[in-house]
Amino acid sequence: MKYTNLEKTLILIKPDGVQRGLIGEIVGRLERAGLKMTALKMVHASREDVDRHYALTEEWMKGVFEKAKAKYEAEGQPFDYADHIAYGTEIKNGLINFLKSAPIIAMVVEGEKCVSLVRKLVGATEPASSAPGTIRGDLSHDTYALSNAQNRPIRNLIHASGTVEEAENEIKIWFTDTELYKYEHVNDRVQYDPTWFLS
Ligand code: CDP
Ligand code: MG
């Protein structure tokens, strides 16, 4: 394979994305960005798969706690959680149950610096705050306030790895080596081959 330094990232279309009939729209947006699909399947995840996928740390709990608290405070609303452990544990449990409740789509895409690129295409965690043009911002509108009031995870359609290291670990959870395809796509030449069009 000629183009060796391309990143890979793991994307899941969560149960709300599948149920809302947005598989094609989401896959289409990733393809239109020039990314190459190297693995794609539907899976009804087990508790074990999801536990491995969301092996969330205390650091992650601090992050979700601070993000939600800041949003509530900006809106002048009380945020009634004692600390990041209380909030983070509740989010984590809800998220694990949600992700294994119905079929999801798992896929791997490949491209130059695609981990951060895909996060940009996906948008912010809370759909209502996600920028227009992003998957979450255009196709969903859930809020922290509604999801917390209903005691359920935010319905934000999609998961995408946050870092290259996270992507490497997450890809191994959802795909075996033989399910990860290596192939030449016509876009590879157009996007990455310096000799393209010279000859
Ligand atoms: O998915 P993303 O990386 O944007 O967010 P995260 O902070 O890593 O949280 C993982 C997932 O937990 C989110 O996508 C939401 O589905 C869920 N979550 C939630 O339901 N409520 C929160 N306050 C924070 C996260
Ligand atoms: Mg994350």
Side-chain angles (χ1 to χ4, degrees), residues 14 60 64 67 87 91 95 119 125 136 144 153-154 156:
K14 297 178 181 177
W60 175 86
V64 292
K67 266 196 277 184
Y87 188 63
I91 298 291
L95 194 54
R119 293 290 294 194
T125 304
R136 288 169 173 168
Y144 283 128
I154 294 183
N156 60 9

PDB file of all heavy atoms in Angstrom, residues 14 60 64 67 87 91 95 119 125 136 144 153-154 156, ligand 1:
ATOM      1  N   LYS A  14     -25.146   5.173  16.691  1.00  0.00           N
ATOM      2  CA  LYS A  14     -25.828   4.664  17.885  1.00  0.00           C
ATOM      3  C   LYS A  14     -27.274   4.270  17.549  1.00  0.00           C
ATOM      4  O   LYS A  14     -27.774   4.605  16.466  1.00  0.00           O
ATOM      5  CB  LYS A  14     -25.797   5.752  18.965  1.00  0.00           C
ATOM      6  CG  LYS A  14     -24.382   6.118  19.438  1.00  0.00           C
ATOM      7  CD  LYS A  14     -24.429   7.243  20.464  1.00  0.00           C
ATOM      8  CE  LYS A  14     -23.058   7.647  20.932  1.00  0.00           C
ATOM      9  NZ  LYS A  14     -23.109   8.793  21.884  1.00  0.00           N
ATOM     10  N   TRP A  60     -12.517  11.083  32.424  1.00  0.00           N
ATOM     11  CA  TRP A  60     -13.680  11.279  31.552  1.00  0.00           C
ATOM     12  C   TRP A  60     -14.869  11.807  32.368  1.00  0.00           C
ATOM     13  O   TRP A  60     -15.580  12.708  31.943  1.00  0.00           O
ATOM     14  CB  TRP A  60     -14.042   9.956  30.855  1.00  0.00           C
ATOM     15  CG  TRP A  60     -15.307  10.046  30.037  1.00  0.00           C
ATOM     16  CD1 TRP A  60     -15.419  10.469  28.751  1.00  0.00           C
ATOM     17  CD2 TRP A  60     -16.641   9.713  30.466  1.00  0.00           C
ATOM     18  NE1 TRP A  60     -16.743  10.428  28.351  1.00  0.00           N
ATOM     19  CE2 TRP A  60     -17.514   9.967  29.381  1.00  0.00           C
ATOM     20  CE3 TRP A  60     -17.191   9.222  31.660  1.00  0.00           C
ATOM     21  CZ2 TRP A  60     -18.898   9.745  29.452  1.00  0.00           C
ATOM     22  CZ3 TRP A  60     -18.560   8.995  31.726  1.00  0.00           C
ATOM     23  CH2 TRP A  60     -19.394   9.266  30.630  1.00  0.00           C
ATOM     24  N   VAL A  64     -17.136  15.175  31.574  1.00  0.00           N
ATOM     25  CA  VAL A  64     -18.589  15.276  31.316  1.00  0.00           C
ATOM     26  C   VAL A  64     -19.267  16.122  32.393  1.00  0.00           C
ATOM     27  O   VAL A  64     -20.184  16.893  32.113  1.00  0.00           O
ATOM     28  CB  VAL A  64     -19.314  13.904  31.175  1.00  0.00           C
ATOM     29  CG1 VAL A  64     -18.900  13.174  29.922  1.00  0.00           C
ATOM     30  CG2 VAL A  64     -19.140  13.021  32.374  1.00  0.00           C
ATOM     31  N   LYS A  67     -18.425  19.818  31.655  1.00  0.00           N
ATOM     32  CA  LYS A  67     -19.132  20.297  30.449  1.00  0.00           C
ATOM     33  C   LYS A  67     -20.608  20.568  30.762  1.00  0.00           C
ATOM     34  O   LYS A  67     -21.157  21.614  30.400  1.00  0.00           O
ATOM     35  CB  LYS A  67     -19.046  19.249  29.313  1.00  0.00           C
ATOM     36  CG  LYS A  67     -17.889  19.458  28.348  1.00  0.00           C
ATOM     37  CD  LYS A  67     -18.076  18.668  27.047  1.00  0.00           C
ATOM     38  CE  LYS A  67     -17.637  17.230  27.155  1.00  0.00           C
ATOM     39  NZ  LYS A  67     -17.704  16.463  25.902  1.00  0.00           N
ATOM     40  N   TYR A  87     -22.215  12.010  38.876  1.00  0.00           N
ATOM     41  CA  TYR A  87     -22.748  12.312  37.541  1.00  0.00           C
ATOM     42  C   TYR A  87     -22.200  11.334  36.503  1.00  0.00           C
ATOM     43  O   TYR A  87     -22.942  10.735  35.727  1.00  0.00           O
ATOM     44  CB  TYR A  87     -22.400  13.753  37.161  1.00  0.00           C
ATOM     45  CG  TYR A  87     -23.073  14.224  35.883  1.00  0.00           C
ATOM     46  CD1 TYR A  87     -24.457  14.311  35.799  1.00  0.00           C
ATOM     47  CD2 TYR A  87     -22.316  14.567  34.763  1.00  0.00           C
ATOM     48  CE1 TYR A  87     -25.080  14.737  34.631  1.00  0.00           C
ATOM     49  CE2 TYR A  87     -22.931  14.992  33.587  1.00  0.00           C
ATOM     50  CZ  TYR A  87     -24.314  15.073  33.525  1.00  0.00           C
ATOM     51  OH  TYR A  87     -24.927  15.497  32.361  1.00  0.00           O
ATOM     52  N   ILE A  91     -24.141   8.659  33.972  1.00  0.00           N
ATOM     53  CA  ILE A  91     -24.051   8.787  32.503  1.00  0.00           C
ATOM     54  C   ILE A  91     -23.509   7.485  31.909  1.00  0.00           C
ATOM     55  O   ILE A  91     -24.038   6.962  30.941  1.00  0.00           O
ATOM     56  CB  ILE A  91     -23.115   9.963  32.104  1.00  0.00           C
ATOM     57  CG1 ILE A  91     -23.649  11.297  32.614  1.00  0.00           C
ATOM     58  CG2 ILE A  91     -22.885   9.999  30.597  1.00  0.00           C
ATOM     59  CD1 ILE A  91     -24.898  11.776  31.947  1.00  0.00           C
ATOM     60  N   LEU A  95     -25.446   5.054  29.319  1.00  0.00           N
ATOM     61  CA  LEU A  95     -24.839   4.958  27.992  1.00  0.00           C
ATOM     62  C   LEU A  95     -24.616   3.501  27.585  1.00  0.00           C
ATOM     63  O   LEU A  95     -24.898   3.100  26.452  1.00  0.00           O
ATOM     64  CB  LEU A  95     -23.502   5.696  28.077  1.00  0.00           C
ATOM     65  CG  LEU A  95     -22.781   6.055  26.826  1.00  0.00           C
ATOM     66  CD1 LEU A  95     -23.687   6.833  25.894  1.00  0.00           C
ATOM     67  CD2 LEU A  95     -21.553   6.911  27.194  1.00  0.00           C
ATOM     68  N   ARG A 119     -14.055  14.118  14.172  1.00  0.00           N
ATOM     69  CA  ARG A 119     -14.646  14.817  15.329  1.00  0.00           C
ATOM     70  C   ARG A 119     -15.242  16.152  14.892  1.00  0.00           C
ATOM     71  O   ARG A 119     -16.288  16.570  15.368  1.00  0.00           O
ATOM     72  CB  ARG A 119     -13.582  15.056  16.404  1.00  0.00           C
ATOM     73  CG  ARG A 119     -13.076  13.794  17.052  1.00  0.00           C
ATOM     74  CD  ARG A 119     -14.076  13.133  17.928  1.00  0.00           C
ATOM     75  NE  ARG A 119     -14.404  13.943  19.089  1.00  0.00           N
ATOM     76  CZ  ARG A 119     -15.047  13.484  20.155  1.00  0.00           C
ATOM     77  NH1 ARG A 119     -15.471  12.236  20.203  1.00  0.00           N
ATOM     78  NH2 ARG A 119     -15.308  14.266  21.172  1.00  0.00           N
ATOM     79  N   THR A 125     -20.764  17.359  21.771  1.00  0.00           N
ATOM     80  CA  THR A 125     -21.516  16.277  22.430  1.00  0.00           C
ATOM     81  C   THR A 125     -23.021  16.574  22.517  1.00  0.00           C
ATOM     82  O   THR A 125     -23.845  15.696  22.266  1.00  0.00           O
ATOM     83  CB  THR A 125     -20.945  16.051  23.858  1.00  0.00           C
ATOM     84  OG1 THR A 125     -19.550  15.789  23.742  1.00  0.00           O
ATOM     85  CG2 THR A 125     -21.624  14.899  24.544  1.00  0.00           C
ATOM     86  N   ARG A 136     -24.201  15.974  14.194  1.00  0.00           N
ATOM     87  CA  ARG A 136     -25.103  16.160  15.341  1.00  0.00           C
ATOM     88  C   ARG A 136     -25.885  17.463  15.221  1.00  0.00           C
ATOM     89  O   ARG A 136     -27.065  17.524  15.572  1.00  0.00           O
ATOM     90  CB  ARG A 136     -24.299  16.136  16.644  1.00  0.00           C
ATOM     91  CG  ARG A 136     -23.795  14.737  17.008  1.00  0.00           C
ATOM     92  CD  ARG A 136     -22.780  14.817  18.145  1.00  0.00           C
ATOM     93  NE  ARG A 136     -22.376  13.525  18.658  1.00  0.00           N
ATOM     94  CZ  ARG A 136     -21.339  13.348  19.472  1.00  0.00           C
ATOM     95  NH1 ARG A 136     -20.598  14.395  19.851  1.00  0.00           N
ATOM     96  NH2 ARG A 136     -21.029  12.140  19.902  1.00  0.00           N
ATOM     97  N   TYR A 144     -28.739  18.705  27.122  1.00  0.00           N
ATOM     98  CA  TYR A 144     -28.385  18.156  28.436  1.00  0.00           C
ATOM     99  C   TYR A 144     -29.602  18.233  29.350  1.00  0.00           C
ATOM    100  O   TYR A 144     -29.892  17.298  30.101  1.00  0.00           O
ATOM    101  CB  TYR A 144     -27.267  18.987  29.091  1.00  0.00           C
ATOM    102  CG  TYR A 144     -25.889  18.751  28.542  1.00  0.00           C
ATOM    103  CD1 TYR A 144     -25.104  19.817  28.118  1.00  0.00           C
ATOM    104  CD2 TYR A 144     -25.347  17.472  28.490  1.00  0.00           C
ATOM    105  CE1 TYR A 144     -23.819  19.618  27.633  1.00  0.00           C
ATOM    106  CE2 TYR A 144     -24.060  17.260  28.009  1.00  0.00           C
ATOM    107  CZ  TYR A 144     -23.304  18.349  27.577  1.00  0.00           C
ATOM    108  OH  TYR A 144     -22.042  18.137  27.111  1.00  0.00           O
ATOM    109  N   PRO A 153     -29.279   8.907  28.534  1.00  0.00           N
ATOM    110  CA  PRO A 153     -28.146   9.533  27.838  1.00  0.00           C
ATOM    111  C   PRO A 153     -28.611  10.465  26.716  1.00  0.00           C
ATOM    112  O   PRO A 153     -29.731  10.308  26.214  1.00  0.00           O
ATOM    113  CB  PRO A 153     -27.383   8.354  27.242  1.00  0.00           C
ATOM    114  CG  PRO A 153     -28.151   7.145  27.515  1.00  0.00           C
ATOM    115  CD  PRO A 153     -29.381   7.477  28.281  1.00  0.00           C
ATOM    116  N   ILE A 154     -27.755  11.386  26.366  1.00  0.00           N
ATOM    117  CA  ILE A 154     -28.041  12.286  25.248  1.00  0.00           C
ATOM    118  C   ILE A 154     -28.158  11.476  23.966  1.00  0.00           C
ATOM    119  O   ILE A 154     -27.352  10.568  23.728  1.00  0.00           O
ATOM    120  CB  ILE A 154     -26.900  13.317  25.095  1.00  0.00           C
ATOM    121  CG1 ILE A 154     -26.883  14.227  26.301  1.00  0.00           C
ATOM    122  CG2 ILE A 154     -27.025  14.110  23.819  1.00  0.00           C
ATOM    123  CD1 ILE A 154     -25.858  15.312  26.215  1.00  0.00           C
ATOM    124  N   ASN A 156     -27.331  11.569  20.572  1.00  0.00           N
ATOM    125  CA  ASN A 156     -26.513  12.375  19.657  1.00  0.00           C
ATOM    126  C   ASN A 156     -25.984  11.562  18.464  1.00  0.00           C
ATOM    127  O   ASN A 156     -24.986  11.930  17.856  1.00  0.00           O
ATOM    128  CB  ASN A 156     -25.390  13.091  20.419  1.00  0.00           C
ATOM    129  CG  ASN A 156     -24.460  12.120  21.134  1.00  0.00           C
ATOM    130  OD1 ASN A 156     -24.548  10.917  20.945  1.00  0.00           O
ATOM    131  ND2 ASN A 156     -23.558  12.657  21.939  1.00  0.00           N
TER     132      ASN A 156
HETATM  133  O1  CDP B   1     -19.317  11.438  22.297  1.00  0.00           O
HETATM  134  P1  CDP B   1     -18.429  12.552  22.791  1.00  0.00           P
HETATM  135  O2  CDP B   1     -16.956  12.212  22.704  1.00  0.00           O
HETATM  136  O3  CDP B   1     -18.791  13.854  22.148  1.00  0.00           O
HETATM  137  O4  CDP B   1     -18.785  12.753  24.334  1.00  0.00           O
HETATM  138  P2  CDP B   1     -18.156  12.152  25.676  1.00  0.00           P
HETATM  139  O5  CDP B   1     -17.975  13.294  26.612  1.00  0.00           O
HETATM  140  O6  CDP B   1     -16.989  11.262  25.411  1.00  0.00           O
HETATM  141  O7  CDP B   1     -19.354  11.250  26.228  1.00  0.00           O
HETATM  142  C1  CDP B   1     -19.643  10.022  25.624  1.00  0.00           C
HETATM  143  C2  CDP B   1     -21.149   9.923  25.438  1.00  0.00           C
HETATM  144  O8  CDP B   1     -21.770   9.954  26.713  1.00  0.00           O
HETATM  145  C3  CDP B   1     -21.802  11.082  24.662  1.00  0.00           C
HETATM  146  O9  CDP B   1     -21.702  10.964  23.267  1.00  0.00           O
HETATM  147  C4  CDP B   1     -23.233  10.955  25.133  1.00  0.00           C
HETATM  148  O10 CDP B   1     -23.921   9.933  24.436  1.00  0.00           O
HETATM  149  C5  CDP B   1     -23.064  10.515  26.598  1.00  0.00           C
HETATM  150  N1  CDP B   1     -23.187  11.655  27.527  1.00  0.00           N
HETATM  151  C6  CDP B   1     -24.433  11.944  28.042  1.00  0.00           C
HETATM  152  O11 CDP B   1     -25.394  11.254  27.735  1.00  0.00           O
HETATM  153  N2  CDP B   1     -24.596  12.994  28.894  1.00  0.00           N
HETATM  154  C7  CDP B   1     -23.546  13.756  29.226  1.00  0.00           C
HETATM  155  N3  CDP B   1     -23.721  14.760  30.061  1.00  0.00           N
HETATM  156  C8  CDP B   1     -22.279  13.486  28.685  1.00  0.00           C
HETATM  157  C9  CDP B   1     -22.116  12.419  27.834  1.00  0.00           C
END
